[in-house]
Amino acid sequence: MTHTEAHRVVIIGGGAGGLELAAKLGQKFGPQHVFLVDKAGDHIWKPSLHEVAAGTLDIHREGLSYFMLAKDKGFTFIFGEVAHIDREARRILLEPVFSDQQIEIFPARTLPFDTLVLAVGSKSNFFGTPGAAEFAIALDSTEEAERFRLRLLHQLVTANQKKSDHASYQLNIGIVGGGATGVELAAELREACADAVFYGLNSLDPQEDIQITLLEGADRILSALSPKMSAAAQQLLTDRGISVKTSVRVARIEADALYDSNDVRYPVDLCVWAAGIEAPAFLTLLGLPTNRINQLVVDGGLRSSDPSVFAMGDCAQVPWGEQGQFLPAKAQVAHQQAVFLLPIMAERIQGKEVQARQFQFRDYGSLVSVGHTRGVGSLMGVLTGKNWFVQGLLARMMYMSLHLMHHFAILGFLRTTSLALGRLLMKRGRPRVKLH
Ligand SMILES: Cc1cc2nc3c(=O)[nH]c(=O)nc-3n(C[C@H](O)[C@H](O)[C@H](O)COP(=O)(O)OP(=O)(O)OC[C@H]3O[C@@H](n4cnc5c(N)ncnc54)[C@H](O)[C@@H]3O)c2cc1C
């Protein structure tokens, strides 16, 4: 690829933040200025991955093609995984792309940039726990979520077979980490397993035969949120027969069990790791400051120590407030940062002097889904500045609206509405959980 005169903004990572920035910037300036690179061909809103894992959301219907979005929104999409960035030469190096039969689809390539925005997100952090990478599944990508779903289906069929042979059998699912991901997954799994029984696995009693255990190291689940939210979520999980263990630190994982720091054994047939994050390791090789979880250290304007390199979302360590804190890894943060970076990127493309700006995060609260009809959340009153506690169906509906708002930011009102209506109608002709 050759360098052209047009100022090139290259955004790496088309997730919650990067895609929104690419779409809005592309609409203004077009594909010769705006490039989006992603290692996946389809975009999925990451907070839905627990639904993909439970089989209640079909990734083949949910994903949005980056190639389609590029055409509609006026950016250039480059399919491939970034292996390295040569900051001196101002170019990124992409790995070759292979098909599942190992046929090379795209060769290794380079892509020049004038301004680079890193939006590569994060993945699960196993904190060096022995056996975790080998035996636990982390919901970092659609592939991992699908892998979990297929293993769950397999285990459910096996359990059903054993029960129909009158053998005593219990399927044990262990979830490590009682943050939003672990809590949402536990509740979603409870409902999905009950639904699966409708479709032929009728020797199983989902409540009795499927044991879901959520293990959390802190003394309460959702420890980053208010104690009131933790208590409400714990109650909802317990009501659904999910065993919640707090102050339990998982020390090692084996093929059929988890062990805590006191060597207490928890049998598991399936294990999910949802206890903490880290940014991709290649960020530590750029010659720019990173923190202990590989996040790129940026200032309040999302700039790294290289004036042409910015970072946003989960892969960036951004200062927050006066007490030396940093912004949390949340979709809400990534979305607001995309909006913040838009005028800055526009000025760079237009060759204007870039105004000094500081990113101000506006916390609108947090919502956690606890199954399809329940949720808990705290909402920050925009006018009053007060924190409102919400729960039940209202909280769940508000949670669902976050997904719609993400689509709205990318696709606009009409397409989001028709997509949502289409999905609603399609649902009526399909099983509630994906069975193949
Ligand atoms: C199961 C689950 C539930 C969650 N629930 C919530 C919730 O309810 N509310 C909330 O606010 N947050 C939630 N989160 C967190 C939220 O998803 C993230 O904070 C948010 O997606 C971060 O956005 P991002 O743009 O930084 O990165 P991401 O959305 O993770 O996107 C990163 C993109 O970069 C691409 N990429 C990565 N490495 C490379 C590479 N080397 N080369 C090319 N492309 C690359 C990836 O393919 C991906 O498309 C949840 C996360 C998970 C996993």
Side-chain angles (χ1 to χ4, degrees), residues 12-18 37-39 46-47 49-50 66 80-82 119-122 139 181 184 282 312-314 329-332 334 367 399:
I12 309 178
V37 182
D38 205 288
K39 60 183 177 179
K46 218 175 162 189
L49 282 182
H50 67 282
Y66 285 117
E81 179 163 359
V82 173
V120 286
S122 61
L139 302 186
T181 304
E184 291 179 348
F282 83 86
M312 66 187 294
D314 287 9
K330 278 174 144 193
Q332 196 188 148
L367 290 160
Y399 175 88

Side-chain angles (χ1 to χ4, degrees), residues 355-374:
Q355 307 289 314
R357 296 176 181 86
Q358 292 292 306
F359 175 66
Q360 299 289 344
F361 174 55
R362 184 134 205 200
D363 191 352
Y364 291 105
S366 300
L367 290 160
V368 178
S369 146
V370 193
H372 270 152
T373 54
R374 292 278 180 278

Side-chain angles (χ1 to χ4, degrees), residues 82-398:
V82 173
H84 187 57
I85 296 161
D86 183 345
R87 287 196 299 116
E88 287 281 295
R90 292 268 174 266
R91 56 185 189 161
I92 64 171
L93 313 173
L94 288 149
E95 301 273 19
V97 179
F98 294 96
S99 72
D100 49 8
Q101 285 118 22
Q102 293 309 304
I103 298 165
E104 190 178 272
I105 304 173
F106 295 111
R109 289 149 295 163
T110 61
L111 177 69
F113 67 84
D114 298 297
T115 300
L116 186 65
V117 180
L118 288 156
V120 286
S122 61
K123 61 186 184 62
S124 294
N125 190 342
F126 294 119
F127 302 105
T129 309
E134 197 178 351
F135 298 115
I137 296 181
L139 302 186
D140 291 331
S141 61
T142 48
E143 289 76 20
E144 287 294 282
E146 271 291 280
R147 188 158 77 90
F148 177 86
R149 186 184 70 77
L150 291 171
R151 281 186 58 189
L152 173 66
L153 263 185
H154 179 206
Q155 296 278 2
L156 286 173
V157 172
T158 309
N160 188 60
Q161 189 58 44
K162 295 210 166 146
K163 289 290 289 189
S164 63
D165 294 342
H166 304 291
S168 110
Y169 189 80
Q170 190 169 51
L171 174 62
N172 290 300
I173 303 174
I175 301 170
V176 185
T181 304
V183 168
E184 291 179 348
L185 179 67
E188 198 74 24
L189 282 178
R190 175 52 87 211
E191 291 186 1
C193 290
D195 283 346
V197 170
F198 275 127
Y199 301 113
L201 303 177
N202 39 19
S203 296
L204 279 180
D205 174 345
Q207 207 67 19
E208 284 291 310
D209 302 332
I210 302 166
Q211 173 69 41
I212 301 173
T213 308
L214 181 67
L215 302 121
E216 166 58 44
D219 59 1
R220 60 184 175 95
I221 58 169
L222 301 178
S223 59
L225 304 175
S226 71
K228 195 171 178 182
M229 270 182 78
S230 301
Q234 174 143 356
Q235 189 60 51
L236 284 169
L237 292 180
T238 317
D239 290 349
R240 285 167 163 68
I242 294 161
S243 165
V244 179
K245 310 267 180 204
T246 50
S247 305
V248 172
R249 295 206 168 267
V250 172
R252 70 178 197 281
I253 304 182
E254 295 183 357
D256 57 357
L258 302 167
Y259 293 84
D260 71 12
S261 46
N262 297 318
D263 221 27
V264 176
R265 181 175 187 276
Y266 300 84
V268 287
D269 301 289
L270 266 176
C271 175
V272 180
W273 187 273
I277 58 150
E278 62 181 355
F282 83 86
L283 296 178
T284 62
L285 307 174
L286 307 185
L288 296 170
T290 49
N291 66 10
R292 66 186 165 79
I293 57 164
N294 306 339
Q295 287 172 317
L296 208 66
V297 174
V298 294
D299 64 14
L302 308 186
R303 282 169 308 203
S304 74
S305 52
D306 178 335
S308 299
V309 179
F310 293 71
M312 66 187 294
D314 287 9
C315 74
Q317 175 188 283
V318 186
W320 188 26
E322 309 294 313
Q323 268 89 48
Q325 288 170 295
F326 300 106
L327 284 172
K330 278 174 144 193
Q332 196 188 148
V333 171
H335 154 69
Q336 290 183 28
Q337 289 176 339
V339 174
F340 170 79
L341 282 177
L342 194 62
I344 297 173
M345 295 301 128
E347 284 163 359
R348 291 181 73 93
I349 288 173
Q350 291 166 321
K352 291 185 183 164
E353 195 186 327
V354 176
Q355 307 289 314
R357 296 176 181 86
Q358 292 292 306
F359 175 66
Q360 299 289 344
F361 174 55
R362 184 134 205 200
D363 191 352
Y364 291 105
S366 300
L367 290 160
V368 178
S369 146
V370 193
H372 270 152
T373 54
R374 292 278 180 278
V376 290
S378 67
L379 298 178
M380 208 58 101
V382 177
L383 295 176
T384 60
K386 274 193 185 154
N387 211 336
W388 302 96
F389 178 73
V390 282
Q391 63 177 331
L393 188 59
L394 176 69
R396 169 68 198 178
M397 285 172 72
M398 286 176 160

